[in-house]
Amino acid sequence: MRLIHQGLGSIGLGIARLALERGHTVVAACDLDPAKAGQDLGALLGISPLGVEVTTDAAAALQTPADILVHCTGSRLRTVLPQLEAAVEAGLDVASTCEELAYPWHHHPGEARRLDEAARRRGVTVVGLGVNPGFVMDALPIMLTSPCRQVNRVTAERVVDVSTRREALQRKVGVGLTPDAFQAGVREGRLGHVGLAESAAMIAAALGWEVARISEEITPVVGGDVVRGLHQVARAYRIEGGEEPAVVLDLVMAQGAADPHDAVTIHGVPEVHVVIPGGIHGDLATWAIVANALPAIKDAPPGLLPVYRLPLLHLTA
Amino acid sequence: MRLIHQGLGSIGLGIARLALERGHTVVAACDLDPAKAGQDLGALLGISPLGVEVTTDAAAALQTPADILVHCTGSRLRTVLPQLEAAVEAGLDVASTCEELAYPWHHHPGEARRLDEAARRRGVTVVGLGVNPGFVMDALPIMLTSPCRQVNRVTAERVVDVSTRREALQRKVGVGLTPDAFQAGVREGRLGHVGLAESAAMIAAALGWEVARISEEITPVVGGDVVRGLHQVARAYRIEGGEEPAVVLDLVMAQGAADPHDAVTIHGVPEVHVVIPGGIHGDLATWAIVANALPAIKDAPPGLLPVYRLPLLHLTA
């Protein structure tokens, strides 16, 4: 498959590396960082030259004949929407790690509809995917409802020890801040995991549940006087569900967090409880999920699709 | 959706009950058992009359205009193939719990091809599905490879305490036999879990692995002088995989089996290890998986499909 890469940070480069391992071809690459412009993509990946010169000119990159855009530039849908629309207009399928794109119909219905209509008109598929949102706190819980006669509530918890993770992630969860600076960062939308509310909306939508509202809380995990990370909880309430939330997603991302793991419980008949001791490693999983999904996205029907509408994702050669 | 039910044993009736709960309509029902013939399906389900008289005449039942056949008559593909072909010729999609249909391409390639061609010709979809094969030891492991850069081996273990399960299942795993009678039953194909080798073949196929051979071993679990159940292991070896099996599926189904659970390990980069304490209850899960999958099967492309080619299964209203 011929790929164009837009966004060559840690996630974009990781996906490019795996996509090359799987035999795909990168035909163009762009990034806003002038320090990367003019370099061969192979140099950025620490491998032999690929004959693909990184450009800051995304419009030029999109002119290259290709099958799919691998899009890794940002978390917020409104920020990246013009990029996605340009790719769709260029006739490319899009695999994006934009967190809000994983399930935008609840929080950004206008943008979702616009993108869906454009994708259908051009006959291309747009999918937001990654480990979270996209897998461990949404697609996996969704699949685990399949053996159930009835589901009353879905809960998932994810505990990540960010000590071993890249600095950008540590900054995103507030490591090293004072509690006051943390609260200010949350208020201004600079801190926090983007996509948890989207995961809650995705689960509800997959199960056919109409959502009255989705709440989200972010509190600091404090050690000594310093913030070590965050505790974030998203809750989705059904229109017909009374006072209790129907989806509860509980995420701790903190330095030294005890007992890192993922857990999903489908409260229903029967109850299904799944534990992943140690948890699924975030970045590596996102790289793999996107690289593995490329063939499924190429074959998928046109439109903006949530990941659960693709065939079961799996390792692809 | 309008359903025809063929096979009204415990599994068939369980699916019918859930399908009715989900708002589907059963328009015809057939079973070979003359004791059931002439009864209203509602009476067999212990609910109000449905106006559907059970018949032993499957050909007559297939004349009823309908969308999908729910097929629960047997485990062996060769036995049920004429039933499946008749349904396809009648223009029905088919959701079947026939264990060997879950992934027949390895062990029954001729039958698989014939059925696939007939289904494509008639524009209908045929899927074999259930909890095992179909979910816990194949679809779930397949999905869990999605976050992996590389997969070296897939292992799954399932331990079921059959004490609490129906007698037919206890008989199928040899409960109460002498070890000699157990061995004779295995040799004659009367004992053992059908579908474990199919699950191994399905996993390998989904991952694009060419299989050299699949081995299967069945040994009795003995307590006192009496068989309490079975221990069954299927191993798939890759053509390019050396001496080590690439897929190992380990199943214990025995009275009083300690620590019932399901576990899946994806040995790769990263390793993914999942535990389901208590395990997923077999019969109830099969009912739900089939009932929940009906809309996806109706929308799926024509042909004989393995379950991993459907969109992510989940609870459906």
Side-chain angles (χ1 to χ4, degrees), chain B residues 57-148:
Chain B
D57 184 349
L62 292 180
Q63 305 280 319
T64 318
D67 300 298
I68 188 159
L69 177 74
V70 178
H71 174 269
C72 311
T73 67
S75 302
R76 301 293 185 184
L77 182 58
R78 283 179 184 148
T79 310
V80 305
L81 190 59
Q83 298 168 351
L84 300 172
E85 290 181 321
V88 166
E89 286 314 313
L92 294 166
D93 289 330
V94 179
S96 173
T97 58
C98 170
E99 283 89 340
E100 289 185 346
L101 187 66
Y103 194 83
W105 287 268
H106 182 83
H107 297 86
H108 300 93
E111 288 80 358
R113 195 168 46 243
R114 207 167 104 185
L115 199 52
D116 182 52
E117 284 168 4
R120 287 168 190 268
R121 206 164 46 233
R122 291 292 288 146
V124 298
T125 309
V126 179
V127 182
L129 71 175
V131 70
N132 191 26
F135 190 83
V136 69
M137 297 185 90
D138 40 38
L140 183 61
I142 287 168
M143 191 207 190
L144 291 170
T145 66
S146 161
C148 296

Side-chain angles (χ1 to χ4, degrees), chain B:
Chain B
M1 220 172 288
R2 297 165 303 169
L3 313 179
I4 298 175
H5 272 263
Q6 182 167 19
L8 298 170
S10 153
I11 296 292
L13 290 175
I15 297 169
R17 195 173 288 114
L18 261 65
L20 291 165
E21 279 181 20
R22 276 150 177 65
H24 303 301
T25 310
V26 179
V27 296
C30 54
D31 192 285
L32 287 178
D33 182 354
K36 291 177 180 157
Q39 294 199 53
D40 186 276
L41 178 61
L44 291 182
L45 291 169
I47 59 174
S48 325
L50 294 167
V52 175
E53 188 178 297
V54 176
T55 173
T56 57
D57 184 349
L62 292 180
Q63 305 280 319
T64 318
D67 300 298
I68 188 159
L69 177 74
V70 178
H71 174 269
C72 311
T73 67
S75 302
R76 301 293 185 184
L77 182 58
R78 283 179 184 148
T79 310
V80 305
L81 190 59
Q83 298 168 351
L84 300 172
E85 290 181 321
V88 166
E89 286 314 313
L92 294 166
D93 289 330
V94 179
S96 173
T97 58
C98 170
E99 283 89 340
E100 289 185 346
L101 187 66
Y103 194 83
W105 287 268
H106 182 83
H107 297 86
H108 300 93
E111 288 80 358
R113 195 168 46 243
R114 207 167 104 185
L115 199 52
D116 182 52
E117 284 168 4
R120 287 168 190 268
R121 206 164 46 233
R122 291 292 288 146
V124 298
T125 309
V126 179
V127 182
L129 71 175
V131 70
N132 191 26
F135 190 83
V136 69
M137 297 185 90
D138 40 38
L140 183 61
I142 287 168
M143 191 207 190
L144 291 170
T145 66
S146 161
C148 296
R149 172 181 199 147
Q150 179 189 326
V151 176
N152 304 316
R153 181 188 291 197
V154 175
T155 61
E157 57 183 44
R158 179 166 170 81
V159 176
V160 179
D161 177 358
V162 298
S163 304
T164 57
R165 303 287 300 280
R166 63 199 154 88
E167 272 188 45
L169 185 76
Q170 299 195 17
R171 275 198 303 276
K172 206 180 70 169
V173 300
V175 169
L177 296 181
T178 65
D180 282 354
F182 181 94
Q183 299 293 3
V186 169
R187 273 195 309 276
E188 292 157 20
R190 287 182 288 106
L191 288 185
H193 171 75
V194 179
L196 202 61
E198 280 73 12
S199 289
M202 190 201 297
I203 291 171
L207 304 187
W209 292 350
E210 278 194 89
V211 165
R213 67 192 172 88
I214 295 177
S215 73
E216 198 165 12
E217 270 173 40
I218 306 178
T219 51
V221 174
V222 180
D225 295 337
V226 176
V227 171
R228 300 293 179 190
L230 59 75
H231 179 201
Q232 185 164 345
V233 184
R235 295 180 179 86
Y237 296 82
R238 296 180 65 175
I239 286 176
E240 297 178 348
E243 299 295 300
E244 294 294 313
V247 181
V248 180
L249 305 181
D250 189 299
L251 174 67
V252 171
M253 301 179 83
Q255 274 187 332
D259 184 24
H261 69 278
D262 289 303
V264 176
T265 306
I266 311 300
H267 305 263
V269 183
E271 179 169 304
V272 178
H273 179 59
V274 170
V275 182
I276 306 181
I280 292 183
H281 187 287
D283 286 355
L284 182 48
T286 289
W287 304 345
I289 287 166
V290 176
N292 285 326
L294 297 174
I297 293 172
K298 185 147 193 314
D299 289 345
L304 170 61
L305 301 185
V307 70
Y308 68 82
R309 297 226 9 233
L310 298 180
L312 197 65
L313 297 179
H314 55 77
L315 182 84
T316 54

Side-chain angles (χ1 to χ4, degrees), chain A residues 75-76 100 167-195 216-221 227-232 251 253:
Chain A
S75 301
R76 302 292 183 184
E100 289 185 346
E167 271 190 20
L169 185 75
Q170 298 195 18
R171 276 197 303 276
K172 205 180 72 168
V173 301
V175 170
L177 296 181
T178 64
D180 282 354
F182 180 93
Q183 298 294 5
V186 169
R187 274 195 307 275
E188 292 156 20
R190 286 181 288 105
L191 289 184
H193 170 75
V194 179
E216 198 164 12
E217 269 172 40
I218 305 179
T219 51
V221 174
V227 172
R228 300 293 179 189
L230 61 75
H231 180 202
Q232 186 164 345
L251 175 66
M253 300 179 84

